[in-house]
Amino acid sequence: DIYMTQFPSSLSASVGDRVTITCRASQSINKFLNWYQQKPGKAPKVLIYAASTLKSGVPSRFSGSGSGTDFTLTISSLQVEDFATYYCQQSSNLITFGQGTRLE
Amino acid sequence: QVHLVESGGGVVQPGRSLRLSCTASGFTVSNDAMHWVRQAPGKGLEWVAVISYDGSQDYYAESMKGRFTISRDTSKNTIFLQVNSLRVDDTAVFYCAKQTVVRGLAYFDSWGQGTLVTVSS
């Protein structure tokens, strides 16, 4: 099984801040890494797929990078609507999610 | 427009079984792999199972093997999750999700709204 370690588990930030969330895989997953945003009571939605490809319609302040085992999600200038929980997901070997990062 | 609607959740006693449904519209389930993901109250996302686009293969998270079965009915454009011997720690919102593949890389491009399963005596 591939394990995903995501950190930090929570992050306190303010509007306008630059925020970075990290995800580490227990073995190389090439670029099989996706990022999701989830708001309370709602289903997750994809932001970034294939490590760095921005999903159509997602604001350009979101970006992803990395390959192999280490990945990051960056929000360049935090907006009010970005306060949510973020999950990484590997799809190299079945599916595993990171533990989530709550942005508050 | 892709739409997924889960149903079948509710309050169930420990040890009982439940079958969840996910009815799709706007696409055909025989074209894409479909997944179930669960989320316990206040916890993170946990992948449960996948059924391949042609229905020939299914895979489960290690902790789900044995009690969970994913299946589908293409005539109803619906996928199912059978959960047996329910335990209190199975209490969760269960989501179905549609997989899409781009350049060989898979992600979930559509999710249902979820159905809540509460296991309690």
Side-chain angles (χ1 to χ4, degrees), chain B residues 103-119:
Chain B
R103 302 191 304 273
L105 295 145
Y107 67 95
F108 298 173
D109 64 343
S110 296
W111 298 65
Q113 84 289 348
T115 187
L116 175 62
V117 174
T118 302
V119 184

Side-chain angles (χ1 to χ4, degrees), chain B:
Chain B
Q1 184 177 355
V2 172
H3 200 48
L4 297 168
V5 178
E6 300 95 338
S7 59
V11 180
V12 61
Q13 292 180 326
R16 305 296 289 267
S17 298
L18 203 62
R19 189 175 83 155
L20 306 179
S21 302
C22 170
T23 300
S25 58
F27 75 103
T28 304
V29 297
S30 54
N31 286 342
D32 296 288
M34 296 292 296
H35 298 255
W36 285 98
V37 175
R38 72 178 184 179
Q39 186 170 37
K43 302 297 183 182
L45 302 171
E46 183 178 25
W47 178 72
V48 175
V50 59
I51 186 164
S52 62
Y53 75 97
D54 61 359
S56 65
Q57 298 173 81
D58 55 288
Y59 299 94
Y60 302 85
E62 197 64 34
S63 62
M64 314 289 175
K65 287 180 181 177
R67 295 192 301 119
F68 292 73
T69 303
I70 189 171
S71 61
R72 70 181 194 177
D73 182 340
T74 54
S75 69
K76 296 179 180 178
N77 214 30
T78 297
I79 65 166
F80 304 100
L81 184 70
Q82 176 76 29
V83 188
N84 298 328
S85 302
L86 279 155
R87 308 190 297 226
V88 172
D89 63 359
D90 290 322
T91 295
V93 174
F94 284 75
Y95 295 100
C96 66
K98 171 183 168 296
Q99 175 178 299
T100 196
V101 177
V102 176
R103 302 191 304 273
L105 295 145
Y107 67 95
F108 298 173
D109 64 343
S110 296
W111 298 65
Q113 84 289 348
T115 187
L116 175 62
V117 174
T118 302
V119 184
S120 173
S121 55

Side-chain angles (χ1 to χ4, degrees), chain A residues 1-80:
Chain A
D1 289 12
I2 297 176
Y3 299 96
M4 306 301 294
T5 303
Q6 188 176 336
F7 49 91
S9 57
S10 65
L11 180 57
S12 183
S14 301
V15 172
D17 284 353
R18 180 182 180 88
V19 168
T20 298
I21 299 169
T22 299
C23 189
R24 180 165 293 157
S26 60
Q27 64 190 73
S28 177
I29 57 171
N30 199 346
K31 284 183 170 286
F32 289 80
L33 192 284
N34 310 308
W35 290 98
Y36 297 83
Q37 177 193 66
Q38 186 181 32
K39 295 184 177 179
K42 301 293 186 182
K45 73 166 194 176
V46 65
L47 300 174
I48 303 280
Y49 62 91
S52 59
T53 303
L54 192 68
K55 176 69 173 169
S56 175
V58 174
S60 59
R61 62 182 179 271
F62 291 92
S63 64
S65 65
S67 68
T69 60
D70 293 325
F71 302 87
T72 59
L73 171 70
T74 299
I75 309 172
S76 61
S77 179
L78 201 61
Q79 301 300 301
V80 170

